[in-house]
């Protein structure tokens, strides 16, 4: 039923039946951020405020250079804003030093990038297990194996990234991001380096995992149909939130 609605032309006009947002998992208030030095300094995020409920899925869209990736980095605690506040799962990032923020990320934030970002000298299993070990999990190897099984890669655990297809590498990256059971998963154009069929499989897997685990999901995409699979669609333009109204965003074929 859900998939019928999602794939129909009415998608976006019908509220998603799985949307049951709880308390805010992400609360961003009046965030400004500039990056770069001297004449190359760019004011990227301008007075951004955004609240995302527990378990909610958000599609983040907007033209190239509008600040989508930077906003994702701010939510993930990988970039600190110049001003404003970021609170994830009740923890204000301002109150954490770099080490504490890194520990928080390791437990609570899963990140998936367009270009996979796997460590080439480590097997699939090691790519998933090592971050778990660093986050203090005693059962890292077993947990990593289980996570790889769950993304359909039980038979590829001892392969290196170069021995895996793009789709398989992104599955490893997804397993790595999900293994700590994070409160939020942020994905930056996760299908950008994949062909259409493989990309669709990764996205289906992402939504299956969301349905199983209920983490808050923020998905950056330039694909409006994909964004429409999310509960909300937020559009950025020139570093500002231009719209947070899914019904206003047309699905382009
Ligand atoms: P998007 O993901 O929407 O394409 P980005 O968040 O990557 O946009 O970038 C927004 C703007 O900020 C772009 O103009 C980009 O060139 C600039 N930018 C991103 N990172 C940096 C940086 N480290 N230093 C200077 N400018 C940057
Ligand atoms: Mg980007």
């Amino acid at each position: 039923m859900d998939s019928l609605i999602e794939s129909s032309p009415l998608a976006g006009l019908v509220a998603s039946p799985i949307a049951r947002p709880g308390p805010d998992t992400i609360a961003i208030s009046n965030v400004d951020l500039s990056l770069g030095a001297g004449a190359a300094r760019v004011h990227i995020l301008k007075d951004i405020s955004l609240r995302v409920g527990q378990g909610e899925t958000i599609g983040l869209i907007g033209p190239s250079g509008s600040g989508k990736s930077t906003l994702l980095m701010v939510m993930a605690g990988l970039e600190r804003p110049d001003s404003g506040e970021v609170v994830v799962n009740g923890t204000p990032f301002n109150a954490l030093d770099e080490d504490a923020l890194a520990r928080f990320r390791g437990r609570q934030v899963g990140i998936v990038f367009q270009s996979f970002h796997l460590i080439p000298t480590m097997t699939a299993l090691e790519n998933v297990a090592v971050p778990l070990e660093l986050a203090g999990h005693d059962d890292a190897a077993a947990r990593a194996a289980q996570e790889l099984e769950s993304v359909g890669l039980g038979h590829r655990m001892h392969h290196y990234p170069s021995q895996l297809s793009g789709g398989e590498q992104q599955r490893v990256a997804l397993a790595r991001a999900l293994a700590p059971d994070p409160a939020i998963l942020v994905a930056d154009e996760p299908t950008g380096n994949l062909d259409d069929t493989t990309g669709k499989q990764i996205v289906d897997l992402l939504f299956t995992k969301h349905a199983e685990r209920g983490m808050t999901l923020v998905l950056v995409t330039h694909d409006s149909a994909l964004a429409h699979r999310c509960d909300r669609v937020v559009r950025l333009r020139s570093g500002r939130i231009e719209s947070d109204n899914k019904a206003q965003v047309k699905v382009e074929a």
Side-chain angles (χ1 to χ4, degrees), residues 105-143:
R105 271 200 310 270
R107 289 193 307 266
Q108 300 287 356
V109 182
I111 310 174
V112 176
F113 300 95
Q114 176 173 346
S115 50
F116 322 136
H117 285 215
L118 299 178
I119 297 176
T121 54
M122 288 188 190
T123 63
L125 186 65
E126 289 163 346
N127 265 284
V128 181
V130 167
L132 282 174
E133 269 169 37
L134 292 175
H137 290 275
D138 298 332
D139 58 345
R143 198 166 164 148

Side-chain angles (χ1 to χ4, degrees), residues 68-69 188-189 220:
K68 304 181 296 295
S69 295
D188 195 353
E189 310 250 14
V220 167

Side-chain angles (χ1 to χ4, degrees), residues 74-196:
V74 165
M75 288 177 188
L78 285 165
E79 287 286 358
R80 286 191 188 265
D82 300 324
S83 59
E85 195 179 41
V86 180
V87 181
V88 172
N89 221 11
T91 301
F93 286 179
N94 285 341
L96 305 181
D97 64 19
E98 290 310 311
D99 287 348
L101 186 55
R103 280 196 300 278
F104 181 86
R105 271 200 310 270
R107 289 193 307 266
Q108 300 287 356
V109 182
I111 310 174
V112 176
F113 300 95
Q114 176 173 346
S115 50
F116 322 136
H117 285 215
L118 299 178
I119 297 176
T121 54
M122 288 188 190
T123 63
L125 186 65
E126 289 163 346
N127 265 284
V128 181
V130 167
L132 282 174
E133 269 169 37
L134 292 175
H137 290 275
D138 298 332
D139 58 345
R143 198 166 164 148
Q146 197 180 17
E147 207 64 56
L148 284 166
E149 295 271 5
S150 88
V151 297
L153 283 183
H155 59 308
R156 291 283 184 270
M157 293 204 209
H158 303 293
H159 284 58
Y160 289 88
S162 62
Q163 299 170 315
L164 299 171
S165 70
E168 287 171 337
Q169 289 183 60
Q170 196 60 303
R171 280 168 195 264
V172 176
L174 186 57
R176 176 180 60 186
L178 289 170
D181 212 11
I184 73 170
L185 179 70
V186 300
D188 195 353
E189 310 250 14
T191 64
N193 276 353
L194 304 173
D195 63 65
D196 288 352

